[in-house]
Amino acid sequence: MTGVKKVSRVAFVAPLLLVLGACGDDATPQGAPPSAGPASASVPAPAPESASASTPPADPAARAAETVARLSDEDLAGQVLIPYAYGGSATQVDAGAIAGNRSLAGVDTPAQMIAKYRLGGLILVSFTQQDPTGKTNPTSNVEDPKQVRALTAGLQEAARQLPAAAPLMIGTDQEYGIVTRITDGVTLLPSAIAVGAAAQPVLTEAAWHAAGRELAAMGVTVDFAPVADTLGVAGSSVIGSRSYGTDAKANAGQVGAAVRGLQAAGVSAALKHFPGHGHTTGDSHEELPAIKQSLAAWKAQDLPPFQSGVQAGAGVVMSGHLDLQAVDKGTAATFSHKIMTDVLRGQLKFTGVAITDAMNMAPAKKWPAGEAAVRALNAGNDMLLMPPDIGAARDGILAGLKSGSLKRERLVEAVTRILTLKFRTAATPQPELSVVGSAENQQAVAALDAASITVLRGRCSGPLVTGPVTVTAPSSRGLARATLVKALQDAGVAVQAAGGAEIRLVGYGDKPVDLSPDAAVTVMMDLPGLLAYAKSPTLLATYSSSKLSLTALAAVIAGKATAPGKSPIAVAGLPRSACAK
């Protein structure tokens, strides 16, 4: 894309060499660049250049240690913060975004936020009605690939002006399926549960490599994915189709493949939600869910996908606000030294960056933002995601250093890990924006979609309906309905507005009342459990409503492809597949 500076990145796949640097002289706090209004402050001057600064070491860990050695306490405190910001541009935002940024951070623009708090990272967010994580995303600052690339370039320019002169960690929750931040113009992967249905890690790795190339082109350096949670029999309403399924061993293979694909493309993968959100019934956005398995059951049912992801070289692990009762009962993992240090670092040998789940979620707001920040760092987290009060979080860290409740060595260790990851990521050239939505990426993802389509009841070959069809769906699924109509027409199926054999689409959040008793075919575009209530002679699952998923579905309905998928979860009264062995 012309007019946008390139930012480099590389996958983080090697253990970090943690070299604790000596303290530099403390600097006075520096604020935001000038702006109209009371949020104005001064721009921090760039750090003085030295011989080593002008020719930094080639090794990322050594460069991180050298950088940390000259940072002030304020610089270190800022590096561990990764908030969100209002506005789709780093420097030019509307009045509503200014109001949001002033409330959140006392500044007008995202660039000023980076400058004032010397931030180590920023998360790109987007609010949608059906997103189960929407409560922590009060705004949207992404629109399309061109806008995102311009935004991330502006954010990186602001980060280069800081004393650390290090790249900014730019993250987002691009899980695909119901939690997808950037949707317009990108190649959309199917949901994780669809990937589990395909059960082909080779296709998973290729699809996630395509996704990683597109994220890298847009300037995203870490994807808060894959979800490594294994679903329990009772499931988890907040995880659902975000998980690969109920089989921990199968999930481990999928998680490892996703990590390898993403990181080979130059984007760090972030395993979540450690130590596992799939066997819980509560929603950690609103309460502290309990993981009630015995220690042996947790190790067998929840741990394998995280182990696999760590072994595959995941650069980041996200701590969940979850009560692992067999290890540290009553304490959220985010604030548990036993879980985040003894288990994650000691037992799993994870050497990358540990980041909290959003600190604006209810379990993390048990304490004031400053105290919560110190507790999370002392537990073993290196970065604090979305603090509800950025200034209070930063000030709490500084106060902890002064009082001794937070040792400077712990903060230096955290920032050394962060900088090492960021310098590694910055070593690979950013792809051109033309890779986004490319035919090559579409082909890689389409193969995964085709492998996921599942027949739970009905014919296994030939057209699944005869004569014209009519596609229906609940009113909220107009886009999916229109997408399938077009795909069926392209596959040679006659589609009419009414009177044809009914194909009923249902998806995330739909209930038995949303089913059609007269449908010849019912298709579930999320967890397939709802199909247990459907009366149709033919039942299918795409687990996803993306264009490529529905295109693959159309090929099966038209008899031009078979359905090789098997449901990764049990559905009452139905087989995992009526066709696949």
Side-chain angles (χ1 to χ4, degrees):
M1 186 175 99
T2 58
V4 178
K5 296 185 178 179
K6 294 182 181 179
V7 183
S8 302
R9 80 284 310 287
V10 73
F12 172 58
V13 295
L16 299 185
L17 173 63
L18 296 180
V19 183
L20 302 184
C23 304
D25 294 336
D26 287 351
T28 55
Q30 296 163 326
S35 66
S40 301
S42 59
V43 181
E49 288 196 5
S50 62
S52 61
S54 59
T55 55
D59 178 66
R63 185 177 176 189
E66 179 192 73
T67 303
V68 167
R70 59 180 172 80
L71 295 183
S72 69
D73 288 353
E74 287 81 4
D75 297 323
L76 295 174
Q79 280 295 316
V80 304
L81 301 177
I82 179 166
Y84 65 91
Y86 291 82
S89 163
T91 56
Q92 302 293 322
V93 300
D94 61 24
I98 289 173
N101 287 325
R102 288 182 180 177
S103 175
L104 183 64
V107 298
D108 289 353
T109 69
Q112 291 171 16
M113 189 183 297
I114 292 168
K116 179 176 180 178
Y117 294 103
R118 311 181 198 186
L119 297 178
L122 203 76
I123 181 172
L124 307 183
V125 293
S126 178
F127 174 80
T128 56
Q129 284 293 117
Q130 289 198 316
D131 187 338
T133 68
K135 293 178 182 178
T136 59
N137 286 261
T139 186
S140 298
N141 55 13
V142 297
E143 298 170 11
D144 56 57
K146 183 177 180 181
Q147 173 267 327
V148 173
R149 179 155 169 154
L151 169 61
T152 58
L155 298 175
Q156 293 290 6
E157 178 62 31
R160 282 192 287 270
Q161 309 308 313
L162 299 179
L168 194 71
M169 181 183 288
I170 300 178
T172 196
D173 292 292
Q174 194 81 348
E175 296 177 12
Y176 301 96
I178 58 173
V179 177
T180 307
R181 302 295 182 230
I182 309 166
T183 59
D184 186 12
V186 304
T187 304
L188 292 173
L189 273 63
S191 65
I193 201 76
V195 176
Q200 296 193 42
V202 171
L203 297 181
T204 304
E205 185 170 343
W208 274 101
H209 186 260
R213 292 178 70 223
E214 297 196 0
L215 288 167
M218 291 184 284
V220 174
T221 69
V222 59
D223 188 8
F224 296 123
V227 171
D229 305 322
T230 297
L231 286 179
V233 175
S236 169
S237 60
V238 72
I239 300 302
S241 60
R242 301 165 67 192
S243 166
Y244 291 104
T246 57
D247 184 328
K249 183 178 179 181
N251 292 356
Q254 297 291 357
V255 167
V259 169
R260 290 190 296 272
L262 259 178
Q263 299 203 159
V267 174
S268 292
L271 309 175
K272 65 187 189 186
H273 309 79
F274 187 74
H277 207 329
H279 284 83
T280 62
T281 55
D283 183 349
S284 58
H285 294 83
E286 300 174 351
E287 59 182 299
L288 178 60
I291 304 171
K292 297 181 179 180
Q293 295 106 303
S294 67
L295 184 61
W298 171 73
K299 287 182 176 180
Q301 296 168 356
D302 287 321
L303 201 55
F306 290 99
Q307 288 176 315
S308 177
V310 169
Q311 291 166 2
V316 179
V317 169
M318 178 182 287
S319 62
H321 305 319
L322 305 163
D323 179 7
L324 181 55
Q325 296 185 344
V327 175
D328 196 1
K329 187 174 183 178
T331 302
T334 303
F335 305 102
S336 171
H337 190 275
K338 291 180 181 179
I339 294 170
M340 295 307 298
T341 298
D342 297 347
V343 175
L344 182 62
R345 303 289 184 188
Q347 296 179 26
L348 268 65
K349 307 301 181 186
F350 178 63
T351 57
V353 173
I355 187 169
T356 71
D357 204 343
M359 296 291 281
N360 61 359
M361 292 163 64
K365 294 172 73 174
K366 178 178 177 180
W367 304 279
E371 182 178 353
V374 171
R375 285 176 177 268
L377 289 166
N378 280 333
N381 291 282
D382 303 309
M383 294 195 85
L384 310 173
L385 181 65
M386 301 171 77
D389 186 324
I390 302 171
R394 189 273 312 273
D395 292 346
I397 293 168
L398 296 177
L401 292 174
K402 187 174 182 180
S403 70
S405 62
L406 175 64
K407 302 300 183 186
R408 198 174 195 274
E409 291 79 8
R410 168 77 271 269
L411 188 60
V412 165
E413 177 187 57
V415 177
T416 303
R417 288 183 180 133
I418 294 164
L419 290 174
T420 302
L421 176 59
K422 294 198 294 186
F423 288 139
R424 286 188 189 280
T425 302
T428 294
Q430 182 179 14
E432 294 297 329
L433 201 60
S434 58
V435 307
V436 180
S438 67
E440 179 184 0
N441 291 348
Q442 296 272 324
Q443 183 176 8
V445 175
L448 181 59
D449 280 294
S452 72
I453 307 301
T454 305
V455 173
L456 288 89
R457 185 162 69 212
R459 298 178 58 182
C460 297
S461 63
L464 300 189
V465 291
T466 57
V469 302
T470 297
V471 180
T472 69
S475 60
S476 60
R477 311 214 173 274
L479 178 59
R481 178 185 169 279
T483 301
L484 180 58
V485 166
K486 176 66 163 58
L488 287 168
Q489 291 171 333
D490 290 345
V493 177
V495 183
Q496 55 192 43
E502 183 182 3
I503 299 175
R504 181 70 173 180
L505 296 177
V506 286
Y508 174 73
D510 287 338
K511 303 291 191 293
V513 69
D514 297 302
L515 297 168
S516 172
D518 300 320
V521 178
T522 298
V523 180
M524 185 58 187
M525 302 183 292
D526 196 69
L527 287 180
L530 187 60
L531 293 178
Y533 302 92
K535 305 302 182 184
S536 302
T538 300
L539 303 177
L540 295 101
T542 63
Y543 314 93
S544 180
S545 60
S546 71
K547 180 180 179 181
L548 292 176
S549 288
L550 296 175
T551 299
L553 169 67
V556 171
I557 292 173
K560 295 186 174 182
T562 57
K566 295 177 68 175
S567 175
I569 66 171
V571 180
L574 293 170
R576 297 292 180 109
S577 170
C579 301
K581 301 298 184 183

